[in-house]
Amino acid sequence: MAEYKTMIPCQRHLFEIPEGVTYLNCAYMSPLMRSVVDAGKAGLERKARPWEIRTEDFFNREEDLRALAAQLFHCTANEVAIVPSASYGLSTAALNLPVARGQKILVLEEQFPSNFYPWHRLAYEKQAEVSIVPWPEDGDWTASVLRELTDDVAIAALPHTQWTSGGLLDLARIGEACRRQGTALVLDLTQSLGAYPFDAEKVQPDFAVAAAYKWLLGPYSLGVMYVAPKWQNGKPLEDNWIQRDNAREFSGLVRYTDGFEPGARRFDMGERSNFALLPAATRAIKQLLEWGVAQISETAGALNRQLAAAAAEVGFSSPPEDLRAPHYLCLRRKVGIPAELPDILARQKVFVSVRGSSIRVTPHVYNLATDGDRLIACLRQIAGG
Ligand SMILES: Cc1ncc(COP(=O)(O)O)c(C=O)c1O
């Protein structure tokens, strides 16, 4: 594969990816940068010396994370909650959004389970209905959503990137349509935030969440959630002491209070001050912002564009470029994927996700043009070419 022109030069030196490993699977789990591992280790080591952990240490790190995440969401730090997972954030949204009997909750076909089960439960409890946007034959998920967005839809629970096709949703258009219909908009941005630009001011979602361990290049068991101002008086998923307005006064914690910390902080998870995970996630997002999300998208997109063209020559198709997220390429073959492909890939140390009839290729700034060549060489083997 020819050298491709990227906006960010290859950053592999910041990661611990051995020579000979082709890692094209960020949508599964990103590798961590060395600096992120160091930040996490230092945090874990602090717990070996608890006498050095001061009251204010429970409160300073998470404000850094909130402020950085706010730059990714395009909102203020006050609108960001710290959560352990996407499902936690989506369950919080489901706890707060009204839906009446007979109304609909819209999800996409093959939507990730964390953004399905909370709605399935809510629909059951309220005698509402989960309505599924069908897989668009032409690859246009936005048009498909807009067709299904009728005035009986109370909630549209959607991603930015549909995770089994890489299809991209035009959230600004969908957000506008939701506001016209009075439909609440909830977003799972786990497969896009940090790798594809998002703007809460333009989209105006009610809730939007992203787990940190994929495109935020962060640790597992952490995520960030945007909460629109109108829901900031809502009900947290759990009641914990650290969300409360007297939390900073350790000697007065049992003077129980009904007050919360301001903004979205009331939705923070218990033990949100995690001394290892927070500094690690903060370090990772800082680096993402230094590179720039649009530039990351461009960089991953440049490799995927070349891969899509090379894969087409060996019989694989992919959605049209204007309908898929640049960082997220799903390759399909009419005749399916032969059973020996996972073995071929494993032998060559080429890591992608093989799911049913599709191969998911999700590069990042640590990939080289030669990674693309190595994947194509494997695909050539099964094509017999
Ligand atoms: C679209 C999407 N959402 C969310 C998640 C992770 O969900 P959770 O944080 O609830 O484990 C994944 C993981 O693969 C995903 O692909």
Side-chain angles (χ1 to χ4, degrees), residues 177-374:
C178 283
R179 288 194 295 286
R180 255 199 323 269
Q181 305 274 31
T183 300
L185 179 61
V186 180
L187 299 172
D188 175 9
L189 302 179
T190 300
Q191 291 293 7
S192 55
L193 195 73
Y196 191 75
F198 177 75
D199 190 334
E201 270 179 46
K202 281 202 188 118
V203 176
Q204 298 184 39
D206 292 81
F207 293 84
V209 67
Y213 70 97
K214 298 175 189 282
W215 302 96
L216 298 183
L217 304 187
Y220 197 68
S221 300
L222 197 65
V224 285
M225 173 167 70
Y226 164 84
V227 182
K230 75 193 255 204
W231 300 111
Q232 288 173 9
N233 288 324
K235 194 169 165 184
L237 199 57
E238 55 174 295
D239 282 294
N240 66 62
W241 65 271
I242 209 161
Q243 312 153 323
R244 300 287 167 158
D245 60 2
N246 64 353
R248 284 159 202 264
E249 241 184 276
F250 278 22
S251 58
L253 291 179
V254 293
R255 284 198 291 278
Y256 305 121
T257 169
D258 287 327
F260 287 93
E261 288 231 294
R265 293 172 185 82
R266 69 169 56 206
F267 299 106
D268 282 355
M269 63 185 185
E271 299 193 13
R272 60 144 194 233
S273 319
N274 192 308
F275 302 112
L277 300 187
L278 249 58
T282 304
R283 182 69 198 85
I285 298 180
K286 227 181 230 163
Q287 180 64 73
L288 291 177
L289 291 166
E290 270 170 38
W291 286 325
V293 174
Q295 288 75 8
I296 293 167
S297 171
E298 183 99 5
T299 303
L303 181 54
N304 272 343
R305 192 176 309 122
Q306 288 206 30
L307 273 167
E313 286 172 17
V314 287
F316 285 85
S317 63
S318 52
E321 206 176 315
D322 59 333
L323 295 177
R324 67 167 177 82
H327 61 284
Y328 209 108
L329 180 67
C330 289
L331 300 169
R332 282 173 200 271
R333 230 172 51 141
K334 273 207 189 81
V335 291
I337 306 283
E340 68 267 27
L341 182 64
D343 282 342
I344 294 174
L345 292 167
R347 270 200 306 277
Q348 297 300 323
K349 298 202 176 103
V350 173
F351 297 90
V352 290
S353 285
V354 181
R355 302 266 188 273
S357 60
S358 151
I359 302 173
R360 186 181 65 184
V361 188
T362 49
H364 211 286
V365 298
Y366 39 75
N367 286 115
L368 296 155
T370 49
D371 290 330
D373 294 331
R374 299 185 65 217

Side-chain angles (χ1 to χ4, degrees), residues 17-313:
I17 306 172
E19 218 174 293
V21 167
T22 283
Y23 194 72
L24 292 162
N25 208 3
C26 193
Y28 161 67
M29 181 176 282
S30 75
L32 293 178
M33 280 174 275
R34 289 195 184 91
S35 57
V36 172
V37 174
D38 289 346
K41 270 188 194 160
L44 197 57
E45 279 163 5
R46 290 187 74 191
K47 179 68 172 55
R49 301 181 302 278
W51 50 90
E52 289 176 14
I53 297 177
R54 302 152 309 161
T55 311
E56 56 266 36
D57 293 333
F58 284 77
F59 300 93
N60 45 21
R61 289 295 191 161
E62 94 273 358
E63 286 307 319
D64 290 346
L65 178 61
R66 235 185 279 280
L68 291 165
Q71 291 185 55
L72 293 175
F73 283 123
H74 275 254
C75 68
T76 67
N78 202 46
E79 288 160 331
V80 178
I82 297 171
V83 294
S85 62
S87 43
Y88 185 104
L90 295 160
S91 295
T92 302
L95 185 68
N96 282 277
L97 293 174
V99 53
R101 187 176 170 168
Q103 282 191 311
K104 290 180 179 164
I105 302 169
L106 209 59
V107 301
L108 302 184
E109 191 169 339
E110 293 195 9
Q111 187 145 292
F112 192 78
S114 295
N115 200 13
F116 173 82
Y117 288 123
W119 311 114
H120 180 63
R121 179 189 297 278
L122 184 65
Y124 174 76
E125 287 171 356
K126 303 285 181 178
Q127 294 181 294
E129 184 195 328
V130 172
S131 172
I132 297 182
V133 176
W135 188 289
E137 283 306 314
D138 60 359
D140 190 346
W141 282 101
T142 304
S144 211
V145 168
L146 293 174
R147 266 194 301 276
E148 301 297 320
L149 202 58
T150 45
D151 57 12
D152 53 352
V153 177
I155 302 166
L158 303 170
H160 207 163
T161 303
Q162 198 277 352
W163 78 298
T164 53
S165 66
L168 188 65
L169 279 73
D170 183 340
L171 291 181
R173 272 180 73 199
I174 290 171
E176 199 188 338
C178 283
R179 288 194 295 286
R180 255 199 323 269
Q181 305 274 31
T183 300
L185 179 61
V186 180
L187 299 172
D188 175 9
L189 302 179
T190 300
Q191 291 293 7
S192 55
L193 195 73
Y196 191 75
F198 177 75
D199 190 334
E201 270 179 46
K202 281 202 188 118
V203 176
Q204 298 184 39
D206 292 81
F207 293 84
V209 67
Y213 70 97
K214 298 175 189 282
W215 302 96
L216 298 183
L217 304 187
Y220 197 68
S221 300
L222 197 65
V224 285
M225 173 167 70
Y226 164 84
V227 182
K230 75 193 255 204
W231 300 111
Q232 288 173 9
N233 288 324
K235 194 169 165 184
L237 199 57
E238 55 174 295
D239 282 294
N240 66 62
W241 65 271
I242 209 161
Q243 312 153 323
R244 300 287 167 158
D245 60 2
N246 64 353
R248 284 159 202 264
E249 241 184 276
F250 278 22
S251 58
L253 291 179
V254 293
R255 284 198 291 278
Y256 305 121
T257 169
D258 287 327
F260 287 93
E261 288 231 294
R265 293 172 185 82
R266 69 169 56 206
F267 299 106
D268 282 355
M269 63 185 185
E271 299 193 13
R272 60 144 194 233
S273 319
N274 192 308
F275 302 112
L277 300 187
L278 249 58
T282 304
R283 182 69 198 85
I285 298 180
K286 227 181 230 163
Q287 180 64 73
L288 291 177
L289 291 166
E290 270 170 38
W291 286 325
V293 174
Q295 288 75 8
I296 293 167
S297 171
E298 183 99 5
T299 303
L303 181 54
N304 272 343
R305 192 176 309 122
Q306 288 206 30
L307 273 167
E313 286 172 17

